Amino acid sequence: MKFVKLTLVLIIVLFISGCWDRSELERQAYIVAIGLDQGRDKNVEVTYLIANPQGGGGPEVGTAQGEPPSEVITLEVPDIVAGLDLLNATVPREINFGHISTLIISEKFARGEQLIYNLDAAIRERQTGRKTFVIVSKEKASDFIRGNKPLLETRANKFYDFMRIRLKKIGIVGPAKLHYLLKRTESKDELFLAAYATVAKKEGKGKKQGYEDDYLPGEIPKKGGNPTQIIGSAVFKEGKMVGRLTGEETRLALLLRPHYKTASMIFTFPDPISKGYRVTMRLKKHRDSELKLDLSEDDPNIKTTISIVAHILAIVSGNNYTDNLQKQELLKKSIEDSLENKIKDLIDKTQKDFRGEPFLWVLEARKKFTTFSEYRNYNWIGRYPYAKVEVKVEVDLKGFGKQVTPTGHRID
């Protein structure tokens, strides 16, 4: 009996240890990003950023000398996956679709009717991952991919991966996964926030006042480096782009989400004592927001309280807030009022312009109903524009950095 069992084990090991389906690294071409643009008639222009696993490095890491790290190819095809085999008319290697980390959609295509059907086709391909990072570009997606010139990263896929991780931590873009876009499109009750980007700098000064995050892509006053700017959100409703949010508005939207936490956000606020100066601080949302919904009336009543810990980083006016409790209270009240006013403006924008909310309040609203049909009959998305919303911000001044008293501070 033991001999029979041993024989069976050896047979099983023999079959599971085979390498008949292996594929050599040098024969692979990995698609790491895809761009979508409107094509002629009903077609779509698909741009493939193909990484070369052997290119872009030195001999010490086993790469092939002289081979480029990536190649960009654009095809006009009926849908997002139809061109995969056509790529082999140009690319001699086996196309691997399982490493796509980024999806770039042009704003023109995002505002059209075909986007959601192409995304539906994409997820039917078994190699496509739902964790794909979604970016909307102001220009054509093909121009954005070709215009992105990362200087610190040889491989373009690393640039997109590192940006996704870092931008999520500081909150100037949201967790823009393909899964969330598909989910919120299907539910029809939630807005989706995709990352917003461009490689073209906007001409002119615009309306900006020098705040650190109140920008749309292309408006950041920077010189040198990679022309790419990813900041703010493209707002989607039912699978179509319907508007946009600045980096600051995106951060406020994320703060309003009951269970969302970020590592840190640097904000600047007007100095309540010295006009024209601003105080810089790092804000952290250290616990879930308190959210109360009253859906007993026709118009929903919403009350939310956001608790924030603030660490002061810079006081360029020289005012001494560190050991004067009265001034601290004045600063604390000024920050709370500033955040509340900005949040109220954002909520008003979502009610009037988008007629929907990206704050995930709908997840709490569903809990108020016994059955799904009752929830559907209530029509949250239709009632939200008329909701009465009260927002309260509570700020806890926790620290003043390593330099407690500002150098050369003003004497009280």
Side-chain angles (χ1 to χ4, degrees), residues 201-257:
K201 183 177 180 180
K202 184 177 180 181
E203 298 297 331
K205 294 182 179 180
K207 64 179 180 63
K208 297 304 162 189
Q209 305 174 46
Y211 302 166
E212 76 290 341
D213 59 358
D214 193 20
Y215 295 105
L216 289 169
E219 296 179 344
I220 300 175
K222 79 180 192 74
K223 296 180 181 179
N226 186 356
T228 300
Q229 294 184 13
I230 306 176
I231 185 171
S233 300
V235 183
F236 282 76
K237 182 179 182 180
E238 297 183 16
K240 292 172 58 177
M241 181 178 171
V242 295
R244 55 193 186 177
L245 298 177
T246 66
E248 181 178 76
E249 290 172 329
T250 300
R251 283 179 157 181
L252 297 175
L254 297 178
L255 287 175
L256 283 167
R257 293 184 175 184

Side-chain angles (χ1 to χ4, degrees), residues 114-131:
Q114 287 183 267
L115 172 62
I116 197 62
Y117 301 111
N118 274 276
L119 297 183
D120 181 66
I123 62 172
R124 293 176 188 273
E125 166 59 51
R126 61 185 179 87
Q127 294 184 10
T128 306
R130 286 177 172 255
K131 293 183 179 180

Side-chain angles (χ1 to χ4, degrees), residues 298-301 351 355 380-389:
D298 290 340
D299 298 335
N301 283 282
Q351 290 183 311
R355 303 190 70 79
W380 169 262
I381 193 71
R383 293 176 187 255
Y384 170 74
Y386 310 100
K388 301 171 185 176
V389 184

Side-chain angles (χ1 to χ4, degrees), residues 73-84:
I73 297 175
T74 300
L75 295 174
E76 184 170 343
V77 288
D79 59 68
I80 190 173
V81 295
L84 288 180

Side-chain angles (χ1 to χ4, degrees), residues 57-94:
E60 68 277 2
V61 292
T63 56
Q65 291 294 298
E67 292 188 12
S70 62
E71 183 176 2
V72 180
I73 297 175
T74 300
L75 295 174
E76 184 170 343
V77 288
D79 59 68
I80 190 173
V81 295
L84 288 180
D85 284 346
L86 286 179
L87 283 174
N88 280 134
T90 301
V91 180
R93 302 184 183 186
E94 179 183 349

